[in-house]
Amino acid sequence: MLLYGDLFRYSDLFRNLFRRELRVKYRGSLLGLAWTLINPVILMIGYWLLFSILLRAVSIEHYPLFVLSGLVTWIFFQGGVQMSSSSLLGQSNLVKQVRFPRQLLPLSVVATNLVTLGVMLAVVIPINLIVVPETRSTFWVTIPMLLPLIGVTSGLAIVVAAATVIFRDIEHLITTIMLPWFILTPIFYTFDQLPGLEGNERIANAIYYGNFMAPIVEAIRDPLFFGKAPSLGDVVYSAVAAVLALGAGALVFRRLDDRLAAEL
């Protein structure tokens, strides 16, 4: 895990990369950080109209807030991983000319999306506290549960960034799988509301635990929206997933680091 120690050893460089990524992300945008809220709100309205009003497929009180509380997690994850896939390719001149900890490039992208996550939570948490009083005693649990989310996103971002340099199709593959991955993640539904899984506990568990984002989403949304502590199983699973993702990121990057400049 020494790979991640470079965040502290080269903290000035990381801050500069982070600031540059943030400027590039919102350069030329009239609304800037406001897009952080516009995107999830539009998605929330669409899913609310489709599943709650038109299809009447879900019966969750305060359904728009339920969806938003799930989108907080997913938008950070998707943005961090998808944008990281081109982080090394987009800085090919820098990677080839200067020797520095190159993993800082995808990690700076994740940090940029962390700003997005913070802005969304700054809006969602107060609304939930007002509309769902039960969350007033549990919302703080959301903060430590963000650590596994950040760990999983960071580890996968490094893997994807390095692998894309070697195999350019990875960037397109990530874009392709994000939509079905999103649909299989309980953002706008809960697993106990899916008729096809009723009585099929093995299939439900396979789909739920086979998708590491599902337990992470639930572990964050439980205290954020439902006003209850996350289940121990989801907490342990999320922590293990984060450790494995960070370990995979370190392993893959060490294996490929020497090839990056040559491949670019």
Side-chain angles (χ1 to χ4, degrees):
M1 294 296 183
L2 294 176
L3 187 86
Y4 303 101
D6 288 337
L7 286 169
F8 304 99
R9 287 190 290 270
Y10 297 88
S11 58
D12 290 339
L13 173 61
F14 180 72
R15 282 195 294 269
N16 288 333
L17 291 173
F18 164 70
R19 285 194 290 264
R20 185 180 64 177
E21 284 291 335
L22 198 60
R23 286 195 300 269
V24 169
K25 185 176 182 180
Y26 296 108
R27 180 183 298 165
S29 172
L30 294 176
L31 297 179
L33 279 172
W35 284 111
T36 298
L37 302 175
I38 294 172
N39 182 32
V41 167
I42 290 176
L43 287 174
M44 177 269 290
I45 293 173
Y47 292 125
W48 172 56
L49 289 174
L50 177 61
F51 293 102
S52 185
I53 304 299
L54 300 179
L55 296 178
R56 296 184 180 179
V58 294
S59 57
I60 298 175
E61 192 175 6
H62 310 305
Y63 183 68
L65 285 181
F66 169 84
V67 175
L68 271 181
S69 299
L71 286 173
V72 164
T73 303
W74 180 261
I75 287 177
F76 167 75
F77 170 74
Q78 178 178 343
V81 173
Q82 209 162 343
M83 292 170 60
S84 294
S85 63
S86 59
S87 59
L88 293 173
L89 285 176
Q91 302 294 332
S92 58
N93 290 334
L94 181 62
V95 172
K96 289 189 291 186
Q97 294 175 6
V98 182
R99 182 68 181 179
F100 68 99
R102 294 157 178 160
Q103 72 274 17
L104 296 184
L105 287 171
L107 289 176
S108 67
V109 172
V110 174
T112 301
N113 283 275
L114 196 57
V115 174
T116 301
L117 177 64
V119 172
M120 290 180 63
L121 285 174
V123 174
V124 172
I125 287 178
I127 296 176
N128 283 1
L129 293 178
I130 295 170
V131 178
V132 189
E134 294 84 358
T135 62
R136 295 172 187 173
S137 60
T138 62
F139 78 93
W140 62 270
V141 181
T142 301
I143 306 305
M145 286 311 305
L146 294 177
L147 295 178
L149 171 64
I150 296 170
V152 164
T153 305
S154 298
L156 191 56
I158 291 176
V159 171
V160 168
T164 301
V165 175
I166 309 300
F167 308 102
R168 304 301 168 90
D169 290 338
I170 295 293
E171 182 179 2
H172 305 292
L173 176 63
I174 292 297
T175 301
T176 301
I177 67 173
M178 276 299 171
L179 180 56
W181 194 347
F182 171 72
I183 293 173
L184 291 173
T185 303
I187 305 296
F188 49 90
Y189 61 86
T190 59
F191 269 66
D192 57 6
Q193 292 182 321
L194 298 178
L197 296 180
E198 187 175 351
N200 296 313
E201 187 175 348
R202 288 186 178 179
I203 296 177
N205 287 335
I207 296 175
Y208 185 79
Y209 291 108
N211 172 11
F212 58 80
M213 281 303 295
I216 293 176
V217 167
E218 294 289 2
I220 291 174
R221 188 162 53 193
D222 278 347
L224 181 62
F225 174 79
F226 287 110
K228 63 181 182 180
S231 71
L232 180 60
D234 286 345
V235 172
V236 173
Y237 184 101
S238 300
V240 171
V243 171
L244 292 178
L246 290 171
L251 179 62
V252 170
F253 204 82
R254 284 201 183 94
R255 293 276 182 92
L256 300 181
D257 190 20
D258 291 337
R259 296 176 55 187
L260 294 180
E263 293 290 341
L264 289 169

